[in-house]
Amino acid sequence: MNKIRTRFAPSPTGYLHVGGLRTALYAYLFAKKNDGDFLLKIEDTDRKRFVEGAVEKLINSLDFLGLERNEGVMLSKVLSSNTNSQESKNYPGVFEVGEYGPYIQSEKLEIYKKYADELVKNGYAYYCFCEPERLEEMRKEQTAKKQPPIYDRFCLQNVSEEEVNKNLKNNCPYTIRIKVPHDEIIEADDIIRGRVKFNTNLVTDQILLKSDGFPTYHLASVIDDHDMQTTHVIRGEEWLPSMPIHILLYRYFGWEAPKFAHLPLLLNPDKSKLSKRQGDVAVEDYIKKGYLKEAIINFVAMLGWNPGKGETQEIFTLEELVEKFDLSHVHKAGAVFDIKKLDWINSQWIKKLSIEELYQKSLEFFEEKEFYKSWNMKHEACSTEEKENYLKKILTIEQDRLQNLSEVGESNQFFFHDANFDKELLRWKDMSDEDLKKSLEKSLTVLENITDENWTRENLEKILMEKADEKPASLARFAESRRAGGRGELLWPLRATLTGEKKSPSPFECAWVLGKEETLSRLKNTIGKI
Ligand code: GLU
């Protein structure tokens, strides 16, 4: 059997679309699972959509996500298994690695033209000189009559060979169209959809070569897949209607067609087609928002695939996905892009990080925040190590609560500036000023007696809990606070002092992060104000 070869064929629009990533990932997983090759080629023949730097950005994103290619377009020429490497003519600094290139369509224009001419010569395609206005008119009429947008073959039927030659000689703009045979049912297999059938009377004579000399997707894609020996074309469902054209092209060229797998559409939770707003679909934006690459890969893998009946595993590494992935478990129905699921998967991946890793990945997110910037400035005199340790302590208590890295510090800003003083917040239930003061003084005494070495989360919790269980400041309230099942008499005022917030991590955790000196200072400060 031939070695399995899949490809990802993005158009460089400036960002990696989540749907594109899903296609790339499935093509990658399928190839790797079957010891095959995964390659990247660039479909840049739509010149109107050209975006400077987009190719490089795309490659960077795939590299960042760990979707390594065996072949095709890369940002480096070093690749142990493949020595055939060339710098791209059109994109300096981009390399094409492998023996089936060029892997960039704008570098193959002559090849496409040659094949298009060959199709004309063999009677499988024809020149079309129709002006855009005529075509537009025809389209409007068809829409009005609710007819499918099918080219009326004016040029095939009315322009003689002589006229064609004359027009060509006079440099009249032309396109080349495929000749679709009428009254035929084209049947083919799709790995995901099973047997699919197309009535050719509903298939238009698509343009293969545009008037600017560039090929359309149909022509280029088929020639590339043949040139690159693609065995499996894995792509989005939006390309399913192109299948009959592609099958015809393979037939006309006398080439064996690859196998096709059309992946399900991506949908919003309300089942509409996935929002086109770039902020919602650009993978780079999710990375910027603090989603880990492992989580993005994990989440995107589940958009249309599951590990099989009865399997409950939801968290997968890329390696595990390679092992478990199977195109037969990709479903036909649209896959819902549920951001809540992504948040959950991301939180699971964040939990797996060591504090060192979490710190390394979070620092850039801290650095964007105003509260961090002022804190950092105020602590200019502190060593980098001291600051690093402080942030690591914050991360230790935030780790289990984070859904993405851009949230770091957000809900615990009291670690970065003095806590707000709010006397009403400090009170446990309707405790009097006097009781409040007593409670805080008790905390102060207890905490003063804990040495620096013993200032650990566990000790703080143990000692403070013991104290909280003792008879509290007022006997009457003791009974009440016991009934309420809490140790609030002691712990609430302490926590509210340290944080100034209604909600926060426990007083033990906060005291631990703040350290002995700052904890005592906050307590004394508050006591002084009551
Ligand atoms: N350029 C097309 C896309 O971005 C490629 C489709 C294919 O894989 O053939 O969707």
Side-chain angles (χ1 to χ4, degrees), residues 55-65 69 75 284:
V55 171
E56 294 81 348
K57 212 167 145 190
L58 244 162
I59 308 174
N60 269 326
S61 297
L62 293 178
D63 285 347
F64 172 80
L65 293 162
R69 283 82 58 203
L75 279 181
E284 292 82 358

Side-chain angles (χ1 to χ4, degrees), residues 7-11 23 41 43 217 221 225 233-236 238-239 246:
R7 86 296 190 274
F8 178 43
S11 305
T23 304
K41 68 159 171 152
E43 303 210 330
Y217 165 67
S221 157
D225 283 327
V233 169
I234 299 174
R235 61 187 178 191
E238 63 273 25
W239 299 111
H246 295 196

